[in-house]
Amino acid sequence: MSTNPTADSTPQLTRRRFVQGGLMAAVLGGTALGAAACSTSTAVGGGGGKGSVSFFSWDTQTVMKPVLDLFTKQTGASVSFSYAPPVPQYVSTLQTRLQAHTGADVFILTAEDKQLVGGGFVKNLTGQKFLEPMNSANKEFMTVDGKVYGLSISSWAGGIMYNKELLAKVGADKLPDSWDGFLDLCRKLKDKGITPYYDAAHDGNFMALWGLLGGYFDSRTAFPDADIFAGRTTFADTWTDPLVAYCKLYTEKLTPKAVLGLTGDQVVSEFANGRVAMFGAGTWNVPAVQKSAPKLSFQTEAIPGITPGTSYWTGAASPGYAINPKAKNPEAALKFLEFLASPDAVKAYGKSSGAITTTSNYTPSFADSITNQALGARSGKIYLPVVAWPRHSNELSQELNTQMQQMIQGSVKPKDIPAALDKKLKQLDAK
């Protein structure tokens, strides 16, 4: 990354915090990735020894080295570091190693790996004092059946990035506070000959939809995911109104169907070059936009809600640090997690990764370009369906992507998409 998203950091920000259907499909679609071929193992912070702990990461060594060096400096213990890139390679490697009893003492627990908890591959951390600074949204994400299995110290948030100059051409200086107002803004831009809005539909990234759903559910005081999977309600009952509202972008041709031919990187390029006024963006898009268009004036805000004043961010808590129950050095593993939760470690990780840290024991500062997203992430007003679904998230994401892309092409009606998800869930549960 060429641009620093935090006020005082050298970022190595990746897209790992966004769970993309395509990547997920690769995992469960049987993509066999060689575990050894995609990982490295390096002693960081002084080599093995009695106090050493092994750590398997999907953050690169460049990101983690300042944190691990600080651990060694403060404790005298060292870390044996290994790495695989997210998401399919990491998941495949972790599962292979744990099942072969060759897993590291500490590893990153992801949404895709939560089934490992049920298999007895993750240590229960409930009651550990180092969990106390964790944000409630992060703690909820790391909880299974009332027990906490990981330490998550950061979150991400995505919203709508807009070109201030193009919005000014229709008299707007910020996003409206309602979805209807947002659609009106899109119509005004289209009437001026300006392409209003892109989501990276080709990649299954419907950023504005996730936030629209989050604001809709939050305004009704309860998120329906658990009830849907328990059979107490359905996608049709809970998703139809916000999904149909979102799909007006396509049914009213405010977003052209040609967006299906653009990758996520091409969407960013279209925005940076002034060919689209707004797009669904995460903090990781900021450096690319700034590099491509250094003089472009832009801002990112939360996705306007169906009810005025219920704007919400797309986003999720980041994966957490977990302990292998068969750790060779369990005491050092606990000591390592205790350190990772400390203000010094949180600060070091935020600086090296560019992540939005959310613990209560350290308040980070951010560059103006991502301040809004950072505040959104730290507020906990973030939603991403795939990480809220307790099972079949990969298959349901694939089904949703398929239905959405067919809707954009005109062969599926928006109101039929939630019913298709209900049908798919029943099929998956029947297997």
Side-chain angles (χ1 to χ4, degrees):
M1 297 294 180
S2 62
T3 304
N4 187 349
T6 59
D8 58 353
S9 69
T10 303
Q12 301 292 329
L13 195 62
T14 72
R15 302 180 192 191
R16 67 183 173 81
R17 295 167 187 82
F18 185 73
V19 184
Q20 289 184 300
L23 291 176
M24 305 291 287
V27 177
L28 291 194
T31 303
L33 299 165
C38 61
S39 64
T40 60
S41 182
T42 306
V44 176
K50 184 178 179 181
S52 68
V53 59
S54 56
F55 171 45
F56 182 49
S57 172
W58 75 5
D59 278 314
T60 66
Q61 185 169 331
T62 300
V63 169
M64 292 307 303
K65 189 174 188 305
V67 182
L68 306 185
D69 285 348
L70 185 61
F71 175 65
T72 296
K73 181 180 179 180
Q74 291 190 358
T75 67
S78 61
V79 180
S80 177
F81 177 87
S82 59
Y83 159 82
V87 174
Q89 294 94 327
Y90 177 84
V91 170
S92 173
T93 304
L94 175 64
Q95 293 183 1
T96 299
R97 290 181 179 180
L98 289 176
Q99 289 168 0
H101 305 297
T102 59
D105 295 337
V106 175
F107 57 87
I108 290 178
L109 180 63
T110 73
E112 300 81 10
D113 278 325
K114 275 194 170 180
Q115 72 271 23
L116 292 172
V117 171
F121 294 102
V122 190
K123 180 180 176 61
N124 176 14
L125 301 176
T126 306
Q128 293 290 339
K129 190 173 179 60
F130 59 73
L131 297 178
E132 292 179 2
M134 196 159 50
N135 184 288
S136 59
N138 298 73
K139 185 174 292 185
E140 182 179 349
F141 177 53
M142 288 286 100
T143 298
V144 177
D145 294 333
K147 298 176 182 177
V148 185
Y149 289 89
L151 169 69
S152 171
I153 63 171
S154 63
S155 297
W156 66 268
I160 294 176
M161 185 182 291
Y162 57 87
N163 180 321
K164 291 183 177 180
E165 183 178 342
L166 292 181
L167 259 63
K169 291 184 177 182
V170 295
D173 60 1
K174 61 181 180 180
L175 296 185
D177 73 344
S178 71
W179 188 252
D180 283 344
F182 177 70
L183 293 176
D184 285 341
L185 172 62
C186 290
R187 295 180 188 109
K188 291 176 182 176
L189 288 164
K190 184 181 178 184
D191 289 345
K192 282 281 188 179
I194 301 168
T195 302
Y197 181 79
Y198 282 161
D199 265 334
H202 176 277
D203 297 346
N205 177 358
F206 299 97
M207 185 77 77
L209 174 60
W210 316 141
L212 188 64
L213 287 165
Y216 180 78
F217 297 148
D218 188 58
S219 68
R220 281 156 175 73
T221 69
F223 285 74
D225 305 288
D227 285 341
I228 291 173
F229 284 80
R232 293 188 288 268
T233 187
T234 64
F235 284 104
D237 287 341
T238 57
W239 273 52
T240 299
D241 287 348
L243 191 142
V244 169
Y246 170 80
C247 290
K248 289 181 180 178
L249 287 170
Y250 306 95
T251 57
E252 295 187 16
K253 303 186 186 330
L254 301 173
T255 295
K257 68 171 64 176
V259 73
L260 284 174
L262 301 174
T263 65
D265 289 341
Q266 288 172 323
V267 167
V268 174
S269 178
E270 291 292 294
F271 176 80
N273 288 287
R275 290 191 285 267
V276 62
M278 302 177 284
F279 79 108
T283 51
W284 55 83
N285 294 130
V286 172
V289 171
Q290 290 177 324
K291 182 178 181 180
S292 298
K295 296 182 179 180
L296 181 66
S297 181
F298 64 89
Q299 184 55 278
T300 306
E301 294 182 16
I303 292 97
I306 289 182
T307 303
T310 60
S311 296
Y312 220 76
W313 295 92
T314 292
S318 297
Y321 302 106
I323 295 178
N324 182 351
K326 297 185 181 299
K328 292 185 173 65
N329 195 340
E331 291 184 7
L334 279 170
K335 193 173 184 179
F336 185 44
L337 260 65
E338 180 180 354
F339 163 79
L340 290 170
S342 69
D344 287 346
V346 172
K347 179 180 180 180
Y349 179 74
K351 184 176 181 179
S352 64
S353 68
I356 300 172
T357 60
T358 56
T359 59
S360 61
N361 58 0
Y362 173 70
T363 302
S365 58
F366 298 96
D368 290 345
S369 57
I370 67 161
T371 295
N372 285 350
Q373 297 100 306
L375 293 175
R378 290 180 64 82
S379 75
K381 287 187 173 298
I382 51 178
Y383 180 67
L384 185 69
V386 67
V387 300
W389 292 340
R391 61 183 183 273
H392 308 314
S393 56
N394 295 290
E395 297 94 332
L396 288 171
S397 291
Q398 293 175 56
E399 178 68 16
L400 178 59
N401 291 341
T402 298
Q403 293 288 329
M404 290 294 291
Q405 291 174 2
Q406 290 178 348
M407 181 277 298
I408 293 171
Q409 292 169 334
S411 59
V412 167
K413 294 181 179 178
K415 66 180 180 61
D416 294 331
I417 297 175
L421 291 176
D422 287 322
K423 181 179 179 181
K424 186 68 176 181
L425 179 57
K426 287 182 179 178
Q427 290 174 345
L428 292 167
D429 279 346
K431 289 182 179 179

